[in-house]
Amino acid sequence: MPYTKRRRLVTSAVAVALGATTLAACGSSGEDSEAQSGPVSLTYWSWAPGMDKVVDLWNKGPGKKEQITVTVKKQASGDTLVTKILTAHKAGKAPDLVQAEYQALPTLVSNDALADISGEVGDAKGKFAEGVWQQTTLGTDAVYAVPQDTGPMMFYYRADLFQEYGLKAPATWDEFAETARTLKKKAPDKDLTTFSANDSGLFAGLAQQAGAQWWTASGEQWKVGIDDAATRKVAAFWGDLVKEGLVDNQPMYTPAWNKALNTGKQIAWVSAVWAPGTLTTAAPDTKGKWAMAPLPQWSRNENRTGSWGGSSTAVTTDSRHKAAAAKFAAWLNTDGEALNALAKESGIYPASTSAQLSGAFTNPPAYFSNQPDFYTRAAEIAKTTTPSAWGPNVNVAYTSFKDAFGAAAKNKSDFGAALKTMQEDTVADLKKQGFEVAQ
């Protein structure tokens, strides 16, 4: 969909969402006029730990040469930051740069808060997996951000217990279900894993792997496809496992979940590349006993994974120095020294494909010291990340998922009905905001 059409598509909703009748001036018509004649100072809103130390490398190196200084302002993450950005943009006072999760980009774009920087960073496309780069373009010719980190999904399992019970890492989801069934027969007190409704990103990534396109836009309309065939397949699969008692139905990140992982009551976890950090805290007694494998596939001839998490660096439409800001965003996410610093200081897994096999990623995480090829395998898996399709009200869909699927998991009731509720809630909210919605 051309950029001009997207702007027409979202204009009516901007007034509703922000209570405004006109958009703040873009500020890009004369951007970087000061950059040509003197020093430029940029402000960057980010929640990543240690980002100030990474930015110091820029200010003392390329930034000093270019006369572009960047100041980091630490922020909260998630919906809190999105709301703050939109509030600042409404007043025409958004920062030059923002760290934005991929699923937040459509909301920021629909409110005209992000600049199209395709003319400044378009040549960076080849440094990222296609599915990752697509998340910053929203399927258009525009580029609204530079990918920073990514969360390709993988399968983690207790290698020692799999060996003890004669199990193999499942290559397909059918094998996953059979593995869960075999484990229950051999060790009734154990679960392969749990279905959790307290982190919507996990389910979204699984649906993404199956080929779901939850939001698409055409002309003047958005179409919501949460209740599509691909997602129904995923929902039915996990719903059947829960009903049959083959997996647990408790949420993740709780003391009980930590204990289940640490004691071997749960012996696997469908997660993403950042899992070692979580396991280090959740299951410290099992260090060195886990292994990582690709996510199970829906058919043996497929090789795809979903994405759970990740963020980007975007330039706002309020910035008076779009080219300078875009130059910094490209450096931050493609320069080798910057990416090594991001890995060390912020603990990110870089979206840049070259960085995934260098610097901090030449040795495995300490928790997975028994798997020397951890990051080599991770990089191969990351290449298979499928494109996602986010919309302007991801927060509403995610909240509906937590409520509807949380109840369905607890009661072991119909996951299909929960998915339908999620679809209806998302459509109703889009209409309430003033978007045109295709039936």
Side-chain angles (χ1 to χ4, degrees), residues 8 124 146 166 206 247 251 353 357 438:
R8 291 203 305 272
V146 181
L206 291 172
V247 299
T353 53
L357 290 172

Side-chain angles (χ1 to χ4, degrees), residues 65-140:
K65 180 180 179 181
E66 300 280 351
Q67 292 189 300
I68 302 171
T69 301
V70 178
T71 300
V72 177
K73 299 291 185 181
K74 190 70 178 291
Q75 305 293 323
S77 59
D79 292 342
T80 301
L81 179 56
V82 173
T83 299
K84 186 173 182 179
I85 293 169
L86 294 180
T87 301
H89 172 63
K90 180 182 176 182
K93 296 181 179 180
D96 299 278
L97 297 131
V98 294
Q99 183 178 2
E101 294 176 293
Y102 296 117
Q103 67 265 25
L105 291 177
T107 299
L108 295 172
V109 170
S110 70
N111 284 282
D112 198 42
L114 299 187
D116 173 10
I117 53 175
S118 56
E120 291 77 18
V121 303
D123 58 351
K125 179 180 179 179
K127 298 182 181 295
F128 305 95
E130 182 178 353
V132 174
W133 181 258
Q134 184 269 348
Q135 295 195 87
T136 67
T137 69
L138 309 187
T140 72

Side-chain angles (χ1 to χ4, degrees), residues 4 39 73 101 181 233 355 363 423-424:
T4 53
K73 299 291 185 181
E101 294 176 293
R181 192 170 288 112
K233 177 171 65 176
N363 296 311
Q423 166 87 15
E424 292 172 348

Side-chain angles (χ1 to χ4, degrees), residues 45-60:
W45 284 3
S46 170
W47 69 81
M51 184 60 77
D52 55 335
K53 296 179 181 179
V54 181
V55 171
D56 278 346
L57 296 175
W58 165 267
N59 290 333
K60 294 175 181 178

Side-chain angles (χ1 to χ4, degrees), residues 14 54 81 113 152 168 189 221 336 340 364 373 379:
V14 173
V54 181
L81 179 56
K168 296 191 303 181
D189 61 326
Q221 297 182 322
N340 283 337
D373 66 345

